[in-house]
Amino acid sequence: MGLASANTSSEGMQLCVFDLRRGQLEGQELDKILFFFPADLPFSTQLSVIGLSEGLITFTRIFSPEAACEVIEAERHSHVFYEAEPDIWMVMVVEKSKGLEVIWRIDALREVLKEVHSLFMMFNGSIRAMLEREPSGGVIRSHLYPFIMDYMSDFLVGKKLQLPSFRDCLTERGTVQMLTVGREAAIEVQSLVRVLESCAGTTPCHSLIFFQDLLVSTTVSPDDTINLFTYAVLRLTPRALSSGASSWSYLRKGSTASHVAAGSTLAQSASVSEHLYRSHDNSPGRDDSYHVKRPLQHDKWAKGKDGFLVTDIWGAEIGSSVTVSPTIWLRQTEERVYLCAYQYKGLTLILLIPVSSILNGEQGVSLVKQQVLENASLKMLKVEEKLSKGWGGENAYHVSGYRYLLVDDDRNISRASPPVKVTTLTKESLLAMNKLREEVDLEKSRAKRNGVDQEKDLEICIRAKNNAWVIAHTTRGKELYMVLEKANETLLYASDAVEKFSNRYCGGTFSLD
Amino acid sequence: MSGKASSSQHTVGFSGSGGLSHVYIQYPPLRCRIPGSRGLYYDDGSKLLLGPTSNQVFSWKTVPFDPHVAPTSDSISEGPILSIRYSLDAKFIAIQRSSQEIQIWHRETGETFSHKCRSESESILGFFWTDCPLCDFVLVKTSGLDLLACDYESKLLDLVETRRLNVSWYVYTHESRLVLLASGMQCKTFTGFQLSSAGIVRLPRFEMAMAKSEANSKPVLAAEDIYIVTVYGRIYCMQIDRVAMLLHSYRFYRDAVVQQGSMPVYSSKIAVSVVDNVLLVHQVDAKVVILYDIFADSRAPISAPLPLLFRGFPRSNTSSSRFSGKDGESAEANISDHEAIIYGDDWTFLVPDLICDVANNFLWKIHLDLEAISASSSEVPSVLEFLQRRKLEANKAKQLCLAITRTVILERRPVSMVARVIDVLVSNYSYSIKTGSYLKGIKVERTSISSGAHVNSPRSSANISASGIDALGKSYEHEPSARVENESLNRSSNISTSDSEDEAHFESLKNTTTSLQKLDRENILGAESASNEAQPSSSQSQHPGLNNNPLNASVSERQELQLASPAISPDEMYSFVFAPVEEEMVGDPSYLVAIIVEFLRSTNLEKIKVHPNLYVLTIQLLARNERYTELTLFIINKVLEPSKEVAMQLLESGRQNFQIRKLGLDMVRHLSLHHDYVVLLVQDGYYLEALRYARKHKVTTVRPSLFLEAALASNDSQLLAAVLRFFSDFIPGFRNTSDHHTYHRILSEMNSAIAT
């Protein structure tokens, strides 16, 4: 049965989604469970996990109605809470063990929950809305299960689920990595964006442009940008499409080969779960013709002849081989849009066409695609040429001597040393950095709770056991984390190093005095 | 600055004047009637229209063209006059008295001397003055060219050099400095010499193509079938092939003559004019004119054949009253039946753009109707290219370009099309900057005039000026076979080598005119006086009122330069296109943003600076639509280049979006506007950061009380103490100021309050 039943349950990772507004009557408790992993756990165990979580939430709400429970640290487990939507909670339970490999940073785990929920919302709309449409909960369960399982398959390395650990302390989930472009290329890109904008006639289209796995341009809100960036890097960019190629992005681990295997095991477990759910799901509205989209399924996107990416995830029109164009929800405008992805060499382009502006469905979409090809092909060629000329490769943002993570909280952008370079750090350094980040996280959430709207400066330099400097520096919405190994022992050296880095790569943000 | 000019722009519309014609002549003409006149002669070297009587020569200046110019007169002795020309320095008058004799007249002293042919077998075909360093005077005879130097002291013309060859007839224009000598049975074999200020260039002998009507008939090429044409500083020869009904064009290079293609003709009588580098082919019998812009290789006409328009004729007698005096009555009478005289038999076309009505003694100047031409084509980018090449009415062309650009944006034409429009304007501006005709025109002119070494550079060719001599007179011709010497057009330019051709065409005709006037008087005029002369000619036309450009110190030069080129600077693009368009445009500004991006792309390619106001406008447009994500990208990627104006606008727009405000703050910091940055930090409540920054960058201009007040307002005694201490250490003598005393007292009160 593979991972789903055997490994993971023993490994002790549990993930559940439940609705506090459901199942409040005796005997109907099962109703509140919307998702549980591993699915083959007895309901009693599932209910006890959820019951504990529910109890804690109710209790902590007495003191803090706005932000209830965030985390429980028990002796052998950590429970990470995330209130995805009002009264809809996601809880991840991870087992603490003596082994080093399972030292987490709680915020990083919470980011995982946040990410999967955001992606789910993008494709399906909110959980609450689905529940309201179909109160029995069958539909939401049948959507959530494959979606989250597909999402988790990206964390599989071999047959093991590998959640973000201390080794990932120099990455930041839920941020976007951007390509640095020169002015000339930026203007060309903007020129292309303007052409794309007007492709669907009077209603302006949104667009995102990627180069390799980096974002070049976006016209949607930061939240939507993050979602689309995540999805693109996971499934759409050239590296995501070509099987076997590994990515340097934190979003994708391992190779697709393992995905295939894992996909099948997870699929098996999905069938198990469906069976399980059906057993206590007596909703009549559930019929087999209802199509459950699995946008995170692997190897479902391919490059078409015209350069547009095609997929059958959204099904095909009845009686024809024409696949249905994907649609997603934009969070900011609450608008449904067609998602058209086009690829030319390293350039990936996502065009978002408001559904309301297309009157005749697929025909209209293909008409817009035609327009894009006619109007923008030349510009795309030019942009690709310009960008690849200025592209420094995977290690373009490596700064020798430094291992760093730079986060811009305002713009949700991060930049970090390439993972290959981070792996050269010793465990001690990484553990120290992980610890430091937890401290900073704590400090940040404290400031947020106290409602201080001023962002405090924070500067911490720690001399780790292995004679490395581990540095955190936050100032006005920007965070810089840095590990300097084999460094000189004076503090002056450390602060000089930060200053140099700041002046050179951050426009002097961290060297104000 | 823009108010007045922009209001005038709106009157320039797409609608031409009637739309029935692209070329017009403007009433009133220059009237050159004098009693006892013995015909009119046009001297293209000195640009004078000459009207000799039995003992006097009246001369009218034709450049600049002023219908009311009064003639000057010189006394000459009686005798037959076959042709007459003033020397280029205007000191001498040369009169051909017979086919053997030229008489030279010194204007100041009235002394004369004669030059005669040596043998009876040769006869004089014509003559002209030249500024070639070898000689002053060129005599064209049936036996060849005599290059002569004028020796006033010994009262004779010294023979410098002789070029022997048989000549049937010749064509010369002063503006090209080119003399073409026809020989052979059919007169279609040509030898050419260019007598430029750089020396004499002999062109390779060449033959012109002539179609045969039937096997045995061989048409003979006549002088009136050949036109030397100077456009964009290049020299062409237009040859009318009456049998094939084609107008062949040949381009002259220093080392070759290349046939360029042919245009059809629709009339047995053809005349060619050049107005502002546009070739006008008058189909005299059909009474229409066809326009060609032979800048590119295309031989397609600019527009359909249309008649020449007669403009400005006063309909009522009252309006004619402004013309005073003696010639009023008769002139009105003649003009009144003007309808009949358009392309009348009495019209003689002078080089490059004049028409002489011999019967009425009128001189007309041909004008292009740029509005009508631009209105006749829907292909906007090519219309703009055409307009950008116009130098004569540069201001009008410029206003038209601006109006057209505004219109295409307001009409929301496709972005790709507007992008091409912008590319045309920007690349032309860039070119005019590079060639110096936009800002540095004056400088170029000076160097080329003052130093002889530069004279043969390609650029100088256009500076050497236009002038023309044409004896008006085919109707005065005595011996049809030989007396064709006088028709010629004239603007100076070197025969360019093929790679230098493009240099010259951007030089303005105004500059040309300037140096022409100089040439008229004194060959070695200094640069100063040359530019001084330029002022009157430029000040009479209106300029758009943009003289606040700080790049140029001298206003008078600026005015002339303004007119020298229709090129549109980015500042003007902002003031006269984007700003007004933004005001008029309603609805979604994303279209305008797209246009601005295209403009930025174009200017970036040409490496031209853009006015910060345009960036400010872009920020306003994006912020108005709450497109902060894009605005951030624009700033981060420096699509909108950092400047204080931009930073301030970001801070302003940042009131709605903190993120944008931060970008503004960062920009202020990057621009090292220390004082502003400190003040802004204080405004945002970052007192300690502000103080640290002030210490690091030694900002002493921010008042301590600003910080002290803020610290006091925070009601935090620690903060107040820190600030107070900081200033005590940072500013020498702060302890003795009233600020210190006041806040020190407050602080001690606060502390004692806490203690109790």
Side-chain angles (χ1 to χ4, degrees), chain B residues 631-644:
Chain B
L631 178 52
T632 307
L633 278 173
F634 272 90
I635 298 295
I636 297 281
N637 291 328
K638 296 198 166 59
V639 172
L640 308 178
E641 289 167 306
S643 69
K644 185 164 181 181

Side-chain angles (χ1 to χ4, degrees), chain A residues 334-347:
Chain A
E334 291 179 343
E335 191 179 14
R336 220 167 117 215
V337 292
Y338 286 106
L339 181 151
C340 296
Y342 178 88
Q343 206 158 75
Y344 172 72
K345 292 188 183 169
L347 198 72

Side-chain angles (χ1 to χ4, degrees), chain B residues 567-628:
Chain B
I568 298 169
S569 73
D571 293 9
E572 290 157 344
M573 278 298 273
Y574 169 76
S575 312
F576 301 125
V577 177
F578 292 115
V581 160
E582 194 265 335
E583 269 173 35
E584 277 186 53
M585 227 169 187
V586 282
D588 185 19
S590 56
Y591 176 78
L592 190 53
V593 172
I595 302 297
I596 292 175
V597 168
E598 289 305 321
F599 179 66
L600 296 180
R601 185 184 55 77
S602 201
T603 50
N604 183 60
L605 281 181
E606 301 284 354
K607 308 259 181 295
I608 294 173
K609 271 244 164 272
V610 177
H611 198 280
N613 279 346
L614 185 63
Y615 297 143
V616 171
L617 176 69
T618 314
I619 297 171
Q620 286 167 347
L621 290 174
L622 288 170
R624 197 183 304 161
N625 250 24
E626 301 194 343
R627 288 159 66 171
Y628 298 117

Side-chain angles (χ1 to χ4, degrees), chain B residues 555-576:
Chain B
V555 172
S556 66
E557 284 185 1
R558 171 80 186 150
Q559 286 175 354
E560 189 202 18
L561 293 169
Q562 198 80 54
L563 293 157
S565 159
I568 298 169
S569 73
D571 293 9
E572 290 157 344
M573 278 298 273
Y574 169 76
S575 312
F576 301 125

Side-chain angles (χ1 to χ4, degrees), chain A residues 241-270:
Chain A
L241 283 184
S242 68
S243 46
S246 69
S247 167
W248 68 85
S249 169
Y250 69 87
L251 285 166
R252 272 184 286 128
K253 283 211 166 126
S255 67
T256 327
S258 72
H259 287 147
V260 177
S264 65
T265 50
L266 283 170
Q268 275 172 316
S269 83

Side-chain angles (χ1 to χ4, degrees), chain A residues 183 191 194 197 410 513, chain B residues 598 627 659 662 692:
Chain A
R183 179 164 193 257
S191 171
R194 303 301 132 192
E197 187 179 40
D410 297 323
D513 40 23
Chain B
E598 289 305 321
R627 288 159 66 171
Q659 178 57 43
K662 268 191 180 170
R692 275 187 297 190

Side-chain angles (χ1 to χ4, degrees), chain B residues 602-709:
Chain B
S602 201
T603 50
N604 183 60
L605 281 181
E606 301 284 354
K607 308 259 181 295
I608 294 173
K609 271 244 164 272
V610 177
H611 198 280
N613 279 346
L614 185 63
Y615 297 143
V616 171
L617 176 69
T618 314
I619 297 171
Q620 286 167 347
L621 290 174
L622 288 170
R624 197 183 304 161
N625 250 24
E626 301 194 343
R627 288 159 66 171
Y628 298 117
T629 324
E630 287 153 85
L631 178 52
T632 307
L633 278 173
F634 272 90
I635 298 295
I636 297 281
N637 291 328
K638 296 198 166 59
V639 172
L640 308 178
E641 289 167 306
S643 69
K644 185 164 181 181
E645 290 90 334
V646 171
M648 291 305 152
Q649 182 58 46
L650 286 174
L651 291 169
E652 172 71 28
S653 302
R655 288 177 191 196
Q656 276 76 49
N657 184 298
F658 190 59
Q659 178 57 43
I660 300 299
R661 184 176 169 81
K662 268 191 180 170
L663 286 175
L665 267 174
D666 277 348
M667 191 175 286
V668 170
R669 183 164 55 80
H670 282 290
L671 292 169
S672 299
L673 301 168
H674 300 311
H675 174 85
D676 298 278
Y677 187 64
V678 169
V679 171
L680 288 164
L681 279 181
V682 174
Q683 268 177 24
D684 287 358
Y686 292 95
Y687 313 111
L688 297 182
E689 286 84 350
L691 288 178
R692 275 187 297 190
Y693 188 87
R695 186 182 58 201
K696 185 179 180 187
H697 296 279
K698 314 227 169 356
V699 184
T700 53
T701 46
V702 182
R703 285 178 297 116
S705 57
L706 195 67
F707 291 90
L708 292 164
E709 278 161 24

